[in-house]
Amino acid sequence: MDHNLTPASPFDSARALELAQQALAVEAQALQQCAQRLQQPDTGAHFARALSTILAARGRVVVMGMGKSGHVGRKIAATLASTGTPALFVHPAEASHGDLGMVRDVDVVLAISNSGESEELARILPVLKRLGVPLVAMTGKPQSSLARHADIVLDSGVEKEACPLNLAPTASTTVQMALGDALAVALLDARGFRAEDFARSHPGGALGRRLLTTVADVMRAGDAAPSVPLNADFSQVMREMSAKGLGATLVVDADARVVGIFTDGDLRRLLESGTDLRQLSADKLMHANPRSIRPDALAADAAHLMEQYRINSLPVTDAEGRLVGALNTHDLMLAKVI
């Protein structure tokens, strides 16, 4: 095959845009037709049976597909797994050479093939039947070999591909992908899947950080949290602020309860007013009764509190108001909470 083909004619941007728009229109129409089919009693019943079969399974959804359908299948398996339905992808060709051992009788197989005549899938259908594994077929040909062997058929048929030659899998794979998403969405709702559950399967993502990271995970604890007693003089307050780098120091009473805070902003305002700070102790410098947060609160809640009250630092206290830590917006940024 010649991989250095040159255009038969000069590039025509107007035609290119027209073809692009046509491709999108064809795929949009295919999705609309798929949605309309689900409103039909028979098609809707098959979709509902697929859902109930998967929900009742004690194992996983084993997704299979060849070629472009295989690429779609990998994405569907990943989407199912991340939304509360255990799933994995098994390549049909590899299944014939040992990978079929991954499939158990407690699983459900979702086989994807637009033609429904994939040789690699056909080869393993008898084995799946002997295992007694429920077989859900997603195919564009409801009368195909795959559909005839399946327990449940999901119709992913399209009138034509978006490819101008009507050859390359385009609209058909779009509908397959969308049907997989429809299954995942319906299943997550049926399972009562929540945003917190999604975050647990995405701990490295932004949502995971927002919903799983607590204040205790990001706060400066112990001696790293700046604090001074009520009677600390100005020099002691400044040394503590400089040493701990929070941009503030907390003022605590004899029982380690937080009674005030003194920040860089407070320092600037007092300097601008001409106040002689050297004669003032911490109880005269501080802003009393500062906002605080508990260590078991979400770090995202701390970020919201800071934004709401336009503050940059927060003391972290226990139920009795005793100091257990501190954090500022920089700590939240480092943790990628904000």
Side-chain angles (χ1 to χ4, degrees):
M1 180 182 293
D2 185 357
H3 294 284
N4 297 305
L5 294 175
T6 56
S9 58
F11 175 68
D12 185 341
S13 60
R15 173 169 168 75
L17 286 172
E18 181 183 358
L19 286 173
Q21 291 166 358
Q22 288 176 3
L24 292 172
V26 168
E27 298 203 2
Q29 183 180 18
L31 289 174
Q32 188 174 36
Q33 290 171 343
C34 181
Q36 290 170 349
R37 281 198 299 269
L38 282 182
Q39 297 174 8
Q40 299 171 3
D42 288 348
T43 309
H46 277 271
F47 189 86
R49 280 185 58 204
L51 293 176
S52 59
T53 300
I54 294 171
L55 287 168
R58 292 180 291 113
R60 301 159 298 180
V61 177
V62 181
V63 186
M64 296 183 177
M66 285 296 299
K68 303 300 185 293
S69 294
H71 295 306
V72 171
R74 286 182 173 87
K75 191 273 180 185
I76 291 175
T79 300
L80 289 171
S82 69
T83 52
T85 298
L88 77 159
F89 178 81
V90 173
H91 195 287
E94 297 297 335
S96 296
H97 297 276
D99 283 6
L100 201 57
M102 298 181 186
V103 184
R104 304 169 300 162
D105 58 6
V106 293
D107 295 331
V108 175
V109 170
L110 172 61
I112 308 171
S113 172
N114 185 45
S115 70
E117 302 297 342
S118 167
E119 181 182 344
E120 292 83 0
L121 278 173
R123 193 178 299 133
I124 61 176
L125 289 178
V127 182
L128 295 175
K129 283 293 184 182
R130 286 199 298 272
L131 283 173
V133 179
L135 175 61
V136 180
M138 184 185 294
T139 178
K141 303 292 187 293
Q143 306 305 319
S144 62
S145 300
L146 175 62
R148 290 197 303 272
H149 284 85
D151 300 293
I152 304 164
V153 178
L154 301 178
D155 187 353
S156 60
V158 299
E159 290 182 356
K160 61 179 180 178
E161 298 288 2
C163 164
L165 302 175
N166 198 29
L167 294 174
T170 45
S172 58
T173 49
T174 297
V175 170
Q176 290 171 354
M177 189 84 74
L179 262 179
D181 288 342
L183 279 172
V185 168
L187 286 166
L188 75 86
D189 181 73
R191 295 182 190 280
F193 196 78
R194 303 165 301 165
E196 290 81 0
D197 301 313
F198 187 85
R200 273 190 285 274
S201 61
H202 297 74
L207 181 61
R209 287 189 292 271
R210 280 180 44 228
L211 295 181
L212 298 180
T213 304
T214 66
V215 168
D217 295 327
V218 299
M219 72 181 188
R220 308 174 189 212
D223 190 52
S227 66
V228 294
L230 282 161
N231 61 355
D233 60 27
F234 178 70
S235 296
Q236 186 178 350
V237 170
M238 292 308 299
R239 282 196 301 271
E240 186 71 357
M241 286 180 66
S242 299
K244 303 300 172 61
L246 186 73
T249 187
L250 305 167
V251 182
V252 297
D253 64 15
D255 295 319
R257 291 185 177 85
V258 176
V259 294
I261 188 171
F262 183 67
T263 69
D264 287 340
D266 295 328
L267 175 62
R268 286 193 298 272
R269 285 186 287 273
L270 288 172
L271 287 173
E272 289 169 359
S273 70
T275 303
D276 186 359
L277 302 179
R278 294 172 298 177
Q279 307 302 316
L280 300 179
S281 55
D283 60 329
K284 300 296 190 301
L285 292 165
M286 72 181 190
H287 172 75
N289 302 316
R291 306 279 175 186
S292 64
I293 197 164
R294 297 280 293 276
D296 56 351
L298 290 175
D301 291 338
H304 176 71
L305 193 64
M306 290 181 185
E307 182 179 345
Q308 182 180 2
Y309 293 101
R310 298 183 179 182
I311 53 180
N312 295 320
S313 304
L314 267 181
V316 184
T317 60
D318 62 17
E320 284 72 43
R322 288 188 291 266
L323 179 66
V324 295
L327 77 163
N328 63 11
T329 52
H330 184 64
D331 299 323
L332 295 174
M333 291 175 66
L334 285 177
K336 297 184 179 180
V337 174
I338 56 176

